[in-house]
Amino acid sequence: MSHSRYVLIPREPPRLLSIVLPIYNEQETIPLLVKRLNTCLDALGLPVEVIFVNDGSSDASVEQLLELAHHDSRFKLLSLARNFGHQAAATAGLDYACGDAVVLMDADLQDPPELIHDMVREYQKGYDVVYAHRTGRQGESRFKRVTAWTFYRLMKTLVHRELPADVGDFRLISRTCLDGLRSMRETHRFLRGMVAWVGFPQVAVPFVRPPRAAGATKYPVRKMLLFAWNAAVSFSPLPLRFSFALGFVLTAMGMCYGGYALIRTALGLYTVPGWTSSIVLTCLVGGSIMISLGILGEYVARIFEEVKGRPLYLVGMTANIPEIRRADAVPYAVGGDAVDGGSSRPAAVNSEAAAHLRSEFMRGKP
Ligand code: UDP
Ligand code: MG
């Protein structure tokens, strides 16, 4: 697939920049994060809102965030009803953001806030998506590095060719692109694939990924594998075809072997009294059927999940977030299509609401 060509139209700096940070048990990192963020945002000199999405933390994160919101109205808190996972938390933050540009980043300082400056510069050049490209990783285990490397290569070649390699969720997204992204309400979410799907001019800014500032990773191996699996099957029917190919190969092998045995019998050559071969074939064919059924089942399960049309997250408590924004974001989260009967309408409604909120923000009452 060749890359589309775009004409870049230079823009004004964002009238409001939103920064979305999913938080899951980050009590050790929040103080460090806020310190670095404050320095960077002051240097940036733009109107900013920082949306912390508490993803059901069980430590002191919420208290810390509430305290922050209390002292500085730029800091907002969106507290989900339980742990919905990183991708859902990020979605919640993106839904509530009302800036002209939104930056999504991790809270553990592995995504250096200093990079926001470069992202905004690229945004002003006319890019709609500016993603941070990891040219190196510091302080991560060999296991994490190897699995990440394999993951990005596999995803790129097998699943989504436009997906840039070594790029996480750390990125700036323009309002236009965000409205597109917000209209995609699937349950199994792989945000970076979805952003690539939306399109628009995209560009990378390079950085070396530093180690976590404090605390432990919230992505254990189990979650990582689940994430990779989601990425693979949410974006492509390839696994489904893989099972078909496997079944095809095994059937072909069976037929060849059967033909071979028939010919030997016809020629009066000695044939092994068929026990071993039939058992082997039965196993192979049975195995391929089971694999195919398993993969089919996976897709059926996904259809089931999507048909349920459940909200992607539920918001428990908020701070510094006006009521209108809740009213705007929540019905939308339940599924734009089902509620409004058309996929274009919610996006428009939301753009309008965002514009309204922006003007309200400009008047100094966020
Ligand atoms: N996170 C979250 N919900 C989860 C797991 C993680 O909101 O269920 C947040 C976490 O607080 C952090 C970001 O997602 O801000 C990335 O997580 P982490 O740094 O642990 O992942 P890693 O960098 O190790 O892949
Ligand atoms: Mg991290």
Side-chain angles (χ1 to χ4, degrees), residues 48-215:
V48 176
E49 62 166 4
V50 180
I51 303 181
F52 293 104
V53 187
N54 168 42
D55 188 18
S57 301
S58 52
D59 64 357
S61 301
V62 197
E63 284 82 0
Q64 290 181 346
L65 295 175
L66 268 176
E67 182 71 18
L68 272 169
H70 184 70
H71 288 295
D72 189 340
S73 63
R74 292 181 308 171
F75 291 113
K76 318 207 153 162
L77 170 64
L78 197 62
S79 192
L80 305 188
R82 62 169 168 84
N83 179 251
F84 282 88
H86 172 251
Q87 300 284 301
T91 304
L94 293 176
D95 285 349
Y96 278 75
C98 53
D100 290 327
V102 183
V103 173
L104 173 62
M105 61 193 286
D106 286 358
D108 59 357
L109 290 175
Q110 282 198 290
D111 298 340
E114 290 75 19
L115 222 58
I116 297 176
H117 184 265
D118 297 348
M119 291 180 163
V120 172
R121 201 189 49 221
E122 297 298 322
Y123 166 83
Q124 284 180 241
K125 282 186 196 164
Y127 288 101
D128 281 283
V129 177
V130 187
Y131 47 81
H133 177 221
R134 302 165 184 171
T135 52
R137 287 167 174 259
Q138 293 167 351
E140 286 193 329
S141 66
R142 179 180 288 268
F143 175 76
K144 178 104 188 183
R145 286 207 307 269
V146 170
T147 46
W149 192 90
T150 321
F151 169 74
Y152 287 118
R153 298 309 174 289
L154 267 182
M155 286 305 133
K156 197 174 165 62
T157 44
L158 290 178
V159 177
H160 204 62
R161 253 160 247 207
E162 309 240 315
L163 195 68
D166 299 316
V167 169
D169 283 320
F170 184 21
R171 60 190 62 219
L172 176 147
I173 305 171
S174 74
R175 174 55 52 187
T176 329
C177 179
L178 183 64
D179 281 341
L181 187 66
R182 288 179 57 183
S183 68
M184 299 161 79
R185 306 310 295 181
E186 60 241 53
T187 311
H188 296 274
R189 302 176 83 75
F190 178 53
L191 280 175
R192 50 197 97 153
M194 290 161 66
V195 173
W197 185 91
V198 171
F200 295 110
Q202 315 213 344
V203 73
V205 291
F207 81 116
V208 174
R209 193 161 213 233
R212 198 171 228 287

Side-chain angles (χ1 to χ4, degrees), residues 182-186 306 309 331-347 350:
R182 288 179 57 183
S183 68
M184 299 161 79
R185 306 310 295 181
E186 60 241 53
E306 296 298 342
Y332 196 70
V334 179
D337 283 355
V339 175
D340 291 279
S343 57
S344 56
R345 202 171 136 228
N350 277 277

Side-chain angles (χ1 to χ4, degrees), residues 356-366:
H356 172 75
L357 283 164
R358 267 197 298 279
S359 62
E360 201 176 68
F361 185 91
M362 289 333 151
R363 288 206 307 274
K365 41 168 201 168

